[in-house]
Every structure is written in structure tokens, then in C-alpha cells.
Amino acid sequence: MNKMNLSAYRPIADIQDNIVFANNGNVVLCYKGNLPEIYSLSEKDFEDMHGAWFQALKSLPVGTVVHKQDIYIKKSFSPTGLPNSTFLERATHDHFKGRGYLGHQCYLFFILTRNRALNNPKYVNPFRKVSKGIVQQMDETIKGFANAVSDSVSFINNSRKMDFVTLKAEEIQQLTTDYFNGFNEGLDTDILLDKKNVTIGENLFDALAVNSELCFGESVQSSKTNEKFTSDDFVFHQGFIDGLGLTLNENHIVNQILYLDDRHKWRKLLDKKIEELNKSSNFGSQNKVVLGKIRHILDQINADDSARIIRGHLNVVYWSKDAKGLDRITSRIKTEFKELDITPYYPRGEERKNYILNSYCCFSSNFSNHDLYVTDLKHALCLLINNTNYKSDATGIIFNDREHNIPVLKDVWDERKKRIKARNFAIFAPTGEGKSFLANNILRQYFESGVRLVIIDLGGSYTKFAKLYPEKYTVLRYESGKNLGINPFYIHGQNDLTPERLEDLTVFLFELFASDLKVTKAQSVSVKKILRHYYNSTSENHSLDGFYGFIERNRKDLLGTLKIHPDYFNVTSFLHVMSEYVGDGLYSFLFKVSEDQTYKIEDKRLIIFELDEVRDNKEILSVMLKLIKSAIQRTIWKNRAERGIILFDEFAKQLKFENVLESVEFYYQAIRKQNGAIGIILQSINQLPNNPTSASILENTQVIYSLNNEKGYDALVKRLNLSSHDLNQLRSIKNNLSGPCRYTEMFIKIGRESNIFRLEVPREVYAAYLTDGEENEAIMAIYEETKDMEQSIKKFISPSQPPQRGGAKSVTF
């Protein structure tokens, strides 16, 4: 048995920036990779990335060794990045704390070897030191090599799919320590090497490898079918060896090592091999198989002028605390290889020790011809893993990843506008799939992060979650024949009469009396003049009724006094149209208020306008939207530095009313001047009429959420110009509404980036978002007693109540 302690065998002589000078004379340039999220890539994406790798590596100097290392380690989720101050935040924080997942780190090493011919004997002592002067002797060579590598990495990064950054000295040291410490945490240990096992601390190590052309089946490709998500009517793709990556869900390392050889040298070697096999091919079927494979490789090289001959080595190093666990992982990896039509080599004894030690970056030039397959670079690059875990942004809304159901923060606000220019969002899903539940989840998190919310609701879906913040919310509910208490003409004093206020009032008036006409500059100036004259002449009790009366009393000389040409303001037409809203007019009750009540919402951060009773009256609904807009402009939008969101929920039926749709579009135009966003919730995108107004709304909506839709997604794809992979993602949505971890899946597209996310919530959050059903009634009954929503939810989910977690309306949300 050999026993080795890393402190006695330090492999690194020196580190300068990201350049490692190894004790064996090798020079290694070290990078860390930031890869795309798993499931986010299409078949074309995989092809494009394969092409980027080929272009980046094909021109590196002869003798370069490229080593891509993907390390996967089982971890427990630490919720340190999650907010933890409010009731629902604490519940979410505690719910996911300690949840298991597979962490992934991707590294890329470029090795300039002392042995440029790369002709190693079968076993090399990786810790053998060379003369100390080697570093100084190679200075100029290193500079040239570093420049070539820098160009290669820049090319990869310019693909915009991947990003490789230089490793820092402390990161390189930590990786070295972790590797030779067997990834044991909290202890330093020895490596025990014997014929049966490689043991590092508490972990037993093993390896499987692809080390010969004979290992490969018929073909390899840049991607393959993902059987888990593929259905009869669509194909979902994954990387060719992705089954050896995150989805393996075991502690392991995937090493892909490429020796960039001289093309002519290896062509001659293959010719020689063919000559030898021709002589012996009659002595066994195995020889014929080998001969066929080598001829195929040589034919590919000869047919393709851009071919770059390489020798390659792929291995998977893995570990477990016991032999039984190790055997289980071995069996799983063999199964994955079998599905790829690859027969792996299972090294034992000295060979296994050699593979595990030499898969460390400073030693990966130590493999011999017996450990390497010969092929074209394009073939070998199909064996790269090009994706990683879901990535959290620094801040954002909590969703869950599709692989482990751990929280992922997605920045759908995008303060710096790196991904989107307009942060408006839309939620699409049929009845029963959980639109309001998702909207509650998004808005609640926005609210708790300091965003001010205005919800214009026709369904009553938000009052329960609002009751968790009793001092911070208000509900303004329309009741038949009554007003909302909003007087757009009300001013505290002359200081309120700013140019912006006059502009807003002018727009409001034109929307009421000339909504079907295009307003000219001359007409707009005329109304502003009349408004100023009204306020200068009237000191108090300003209202629409008062303004109407003022014009009526002064109709004979009003235009002359203000030098307004009659073509620019038709007094008779104005008085006729506006008579519906004043005196005993049909809709006069909407404006019968002298004192403005909007002060009630000035200090509230969550304002809900419930217009359920008016949902079928397009005239009243349209006026209500204008009044609400007036209130928002005078209160919420006064501070443009404050973030705000306006949500239109359950507006599907009303959007077919042209004047209502135009009112909604106005919000989209106005929000551009604010630090805000608009959200709409629809059962189907076809509920937005196919006209220029709707097109403008969709064009300014750059965050899309779609839940499951059994009727399909063709209209969504067409109206939003979604890609074929977006459609495949949508079709792959699958909910899990039973068992201990219930979740719904949803498609989220932020600008050009899209993926499928999950929504799993703790029982407390589930209870807060319920909007109907027996459970909702039970919570509200408790609330009637306690008048405290947090206590009501706690009582509802107490041990005597059955647990509920996440899901869709079909499990009562």
C-alpha cells in the first residue's frame, strides 16, 4: 500500500496570476467556466457551441494539452442569499434550507508541456520534480503560448453562450487542496493507494474511461434526444454526454483531455496501423472491427481539410463513502455510456491510481498512447459538457430550478437593462392552472423588496395576501352608483398646478370627450389655456362639474378672451359630450366628489382597485381606468425614483372594448417615464385583439410567463415570435401535484433568455395565495375571529391541518 500526503508532494512550484508552474516542468493556464443553464439550449445552440469550440482550439500550438474538468459535488442548499425578514420570507427560507442538490464547477486548463512530443511511457510518476531553472528558461515560450491561449478563450467567450474567466492564485490552490483531499470537508487527509482501492479520507474513489477508438460505437454528435422531455410531437435536445453531468446526481468529476498533435505524424501512424491490421485481419473478427474504425477515422481526416488530428482521453472519476455506494455509481455510469453506444474501460490497480492522479490539471499530460484514442478534434468536442446549474441573479424573484427544486433568484426587473429594455410582463394560462397564484408570488416578493404595487383587479384575488401588511395596503372597491373618491381636478394649492399637472389633466379631458379623435397640438394648447384660466378664476372646490359650469357660463367670450380660434376648441361639442358626466348626466355619479380622497393612497405601498361590479360596462370601466390613472399620476408617480408596478388582472373580457384597450395602452406609454412596470394576466394571448394597439402592448412586454396549456401554444409562439426551442420548452411543461414536493412548471422568457422554472412554496405561502375553495374559506373564517392574517395562516397550517405545498388550481389554488 502507498500512502501519500499532499504537504510532502506539492505539485505546484509557483503561481503567477492564472499561470501555474508545476514541479514536473509543465506550465498551466487556468480558467473557470460560466456555462448556459441546463435545458436552455436548442439543437442549434449545441451545434453552434461545438463550432465555437472547434474554431477556438484548432489553431493552438502543436503539443498543447487542453483539459476541461467538470466537478460535481453533492451539497445542501444554504439560503443565505434569500430574504428572511417577513413572515412569508422566513417560511420560504426555512422550507428550502438544507435541501440537497448537485453543485457544479467547470474548469478549463491549457497545458504547455515540457515533453512537447507527448510520448509518455505507460506509467509516469506525477510528482517527479524537474530542475528549478525550467521556469526561467521558458519565459519567451510561455508568453507566446499565453497569447495563443488568450485568443482561443476570447473566441469561446465571443460565442456569447459561454464565459471563461481567469482563475485566481487562491482558487487554484484551493482546487489543488480539494482534489488531493478527496473533497472531504473540514479535515486534511492522506491518499491511500493500493491494488484494490484508492481511498482519500472517508471516500473510496474509482474511475471509468474512454481510452481507445474501440470504445466508440457508430457515431457521436453535438447533441442527442432528451428522452425525459421528448414526446410524440416534438424532440427536446441535450448535450451528447449530459447524462454524465448534472443528471447523474452523484459525486463525480468528468475529465475531457485533448492532446493537440501534429496532423501528419498521426496520419502516418494510422496508415501504419492499417497496414499491420490488413496483414492480420484474417485472424479474427476483432481485428476487422478495429481496421474498419481506423479506416473511417483516416477517411474523415483525408476528406476534411479543416480536420485537426488529436489524441483524447475521457474519464469519469467518482467517489462514495462505502463500496456498495461505489458499485451503484459504477453501474449508473456504465448505463449512461451504454445509451451512448460507448463501451468504457474500467481501470484496476496501478492503472486506476494513474487515471485518478493524472486527472489533476498539472499532470494531465502524463497519459500514454495506451490511454488515448486517436480521432479528429470535431469528433472529440462532441464529448464536452456545455451546460450547468440554473444561475441565480444577485437579486430578484424566487422561483425553483428544474433539476433539484432549489430556489433560483431571477432578476425580472433588470435595473441596468442588460437583458431587457422594458420590464413589463405578461402571464398566460387557462383557467385552473394558477395564474393568480403565480401573480401573487411575483407581486408579493416585489412588494417585500420595496416596490410599490397598484393592482387593478376584476376578480378579487389579492386582498388576502394584502392583509398580511395591514398598515401598508388599501382596497378601493367600486360599488354600483358610487364613485371611487377620486377628483382629478383637486389641488392643495396653486403650487400643485405644475406644467406636468396641466398636461395630465388635458390628456384626461381629451380621453373623456374626444377619445376617438387624434388630438392636435393646437387643440392641446387650447385646453391647457382654458384650464389655467379656470384655476386662476376659481379659488376652491375644483371639480369636473365646476370646470363644466365655468365653460358653460363663459361660452360666449371664452375663446375670444384666451385668443383661441374656434377650430381649435369646439365649445358646443365639449359641453354636449361632457354633459353625461356632470349634473344629472348618466355617469355623473362617477365625479360627484368635491374633496379628493386620493390622500388615502399616498402613503400606501399596496393599492388594490377592485372593479368586479363594473366589469361588463365598458363606459364606466373606461372612465374608472382614467380616474385611477389620474390618482396614480398624482400620488404614486410623483417620486420617479421609486419603483412601481401596475397589474391588470382578469381583463380578458374587457380588452375587446376598444376604449378600455387604449386606456391600458396609455399606461404602457406613461410607464416609460417612470421607474416602473406594467403586468397583464390573460387566459390566452388571443384575448388581446389582433390590432396595432395590442401589438404595441406586446412589443413593450419583454418578460413572459406561461403556465401549462393543454390546448397548445401556437398562438403564443406566433404573436410573440418565439423560437422553436421556446416551443419545445413550453411543450415539455409538466406539473407534479401529488407527493411531498408539489410544484407547477412555467416557461419564463426574459428578453432573449428562456427556460422552464418550477414554483414550489411552503405551506404558509400556499395558504396566503389561496383565492377560492374550502381551504380559503377556512382561513378567512379564522381571520374573522383573529383579524390577524399571519396568525390565521399559522392556525390553519397547524399540525391538526393536512399539509399543502405548491401546485395549481387543481389542488385548490
Side-chain angles (χ1 to χ4, degrees), residues 290-527:
V290 176
L291 175 63
K293 289 195 175 186
I294 293 176
R295 272 185 174 154
H296 179 65
I297 293 166
L298 194 59
D299 287 344
Q300 282 185 310
I301 294 163
N302 290 330
D304 186 355
D305 288 337
S306 67
R308 172 74 194 258
I309 225 44
I310 61 109
R311 283 175 295 163
H313 176 91
L314 171 72
N315 70 50
V316 184
V317 175
Y318 50 98
W319 60 96
S320 180
K321 292 193 184 302
D322 57 61
K324 193 173 180 181
L326 208 60
D327 289 343
R328 178 177 51 80
I329 301 171
T330 302
S331 178
R332 284 203 59 194
I333 295 172
K334 282 182 176 177
T335 300
E336 291 296 335
F337 273 123
K338 188 175 181 179
E339 288 186 9
L340 300 174
D341 196 19
I342 292 175
T343 306
Y345 168 68
Y346 193 19
R348 315 296 286 169
E350 189 78 10
E351 193 88 329
R352 173 169 48 197
K353 177 186 80 174
N354 186 47
Y355 279 17
I356 292 171
L357 291 181
N358 286 327
S359 290
Y360 169 66
C361 61
C362 289
F363 305 152
S364 46
S365 63
N366 287 347
F367 291 103
S368 72
N369 280 344
H370 298 285
D371 307 312
L372 302 163
Y373 58 82
V374 180
T375 191
D376 174 41
L377 177 59
K378 288 179 180 176
H379 177 284
L381 291 176
C382 290
L383 307 181
L384 292 185
I385 292 176
N386 284 320
N387 52 42
T388 187
N389 276 313
Y390 281 57
K391 289 174 275 194
S392 272
D393 297 318
T395 59
I397 303 299
I398 300 169
F399 300 100
N400 302 91
D401 84 333
R402 200 177 198 181
E403 195 59 37
H404 312 289
N405 269 40
I406 58 170
V408 181
L409 284 167
K410 293 314 288 184
D411 183 5
V412 288
W413 187 267
D414 199 7
E415 189 73 44
R416 297 182 181 178
K417 298 189 176 180
K418 290 182 178 179
R419 290 185 286 211
I420 49 176
K421 293 178 182 177
R423 53 182 66 99
N424 305 320
F425 65 92
I427 298 174
F428 300 102
T431 299
E433 291 293 341
K435 295 186 298 293
S436 294
F437 194 95
L438 174 58
N440 269 280
N441 186 61
I442 295 167
L443 295 179
R444 188 269 298 177
Q445 292 183 61
Y446 267 136
F447 175 76
E448 291 184 338
S449 66
V451 178
R452 203 166 186 183
L453 302 182
V454 178
I455 300 171
I456 302 169
D457 183 23
L458 300 185
S461 302
Y462 303 93
T463 47
K464 183 144 65 63
F465 115 72
K467 284 181 168 63
L468 283 166
Y469 318 97
E471 302 301 319
K472 298 179 180 177
Y473 86 96
T474 187
V475 177
L476 298 178
R477 186 176 287 108
Y478 171 79
E479 295 176 48
S480 184
K482 296 182 181 179
N483 59 65
L484 283 178
I486 299 172
N487 177 4
F489 286 81
Y490 180 82
I491 59 171
H492 291 288
Q494 285 295 321
N495 290 338
D496 274 1
L497 208 62
T498 60
E500 289 81 10
R501 183 66 185 281
L502 283 169
E503 290 282 1
D504 292 341
L505 265 177
T506 301
V507 171
F508 175 75
L509 285 167
F510 273 116
E511 285 183 333
L512 281 179
F513 84 87
S515 59
D516 56 341
L517 300 175
K518 184 170 177 63
V519 179
T520 66
K521 179 74 174 174
Q523 290 171 317
S524 177
V525 170
S526 301
V527 171

Side-chain angles (χ1 to χ4, degrees), residues 83 203 270 702 713:
N203 296 326
L270 289 173
Q702 295 191 359
Y713 307 93

Side-chain angles (χ1 to χ4, degrees), residues 18 420 514 613 679:
N18 71 317
I420 49 176
E613 282 197 38

Side-chain angles (χ1 to χ4, degrees), residues 522-566:
Q523 290 171 317
S524 177
V525 170
S526 301
V527 171
K528 277 182 276 187
K529 279 187 173 184
I530 296 168
L531 279 167
R532 287 181 69 188
H533 186 41
Y534 164 65
Y535 279 104
N536 288 335
S537 306
T538 311
S539 59
E540 57 185 6
N541 294 332
H542 304 108
S543 66
L544 178 61
D545 210 48
F547 183 61
Y548 183 91
F550 175 77
I551 293 177
E552 192 174 38
R553 290 191 302 274
N554 297 284
R555 61 187 302 171
K556 288 184 180 179
D557 54 3
L558 180 66
L559 299 184
T561 303
L562 297 176
K563 297 180 180 178
I564 297 171
H565 193 280

